[in-house]
Amino acid sequence: MWEAKLEPNVISYSAGISACEKGEQWQRALALLSEMWEAKLEPSVISYSAGISACEKGEQWQRALALLSEMREAKLEPNVSATAPGSARAKRADSGSGLCHC
């Protein structure tokens, strides 16, 4: 996009994060979320949900929970259908570790 002199926006970043999620590239999905902040763009529910799902697919439960927490701090209401399976698995994975008292 930069080479074509097009300015990325929340929708294009969200699409990229979603593509990373589908391609099981959780690291790249998180990098795109970071790039959004650097570009002074606030991730949307869709951006966060795709990032959470990417982390869930990569079995990165703590990162998924951190994104869910970040989302709540940003006063964004989680998309239940997108985040419920991942966050439920994350809570189960951390239940014995003392990391999540959900």
Side-chain angles (χ1 to χ4, degrees):
M1 288 189 76
W2 293 112
E3 290 173 14
K5 297 188 189 320
L6 297 173
E7 192 80 24
N9 59 25
V10 172
I11 295 170
S12 58
Y13 272 107
S14 295
I17 296 165
S18 182
C20 292
E21 177 257 325
K22 288 172 180 49
E24 298 184 17
Q25 297 291 316
W26 65 268
Q27 298 99 328
R28 186 65 185 132
L30 294 180
L32 286 173
L33 278 168
S34 290
E35 281 181 32
M36 286 182 79
W37 286 111
E38 290 171 17
K40 307 276 189 267
L41 296 171
E42 291 188 30
S44 67
V45 171
I46 294 168
S47 310
Y48 276 115
S49 295
I52 290 167
S53 185
C55 290
E56 182 253 334
K57 286 183 177 180
E59 297 186 9
Q60 299 298 311
W61 311 118
Q62 291 177 332
R63 286 184 169 96
L65 287 171
L67 286 178
L68 187 59
S69 177
E70 222 179 273
M71 195 175 171
R72 288 189 175 136
E73 285 175 22
K75 306 280 190 258
L76 293 173
E77 195 62 37
N79 179 335
V80 176
S81 64
T83 59
S87 58
R89 287 187 196 126
K91 289 175 188 176
R92 282 197 303 272
D94 284 337
S95 63
S97 68
L99 296 175
C100 179
H101 301 286
C102 308

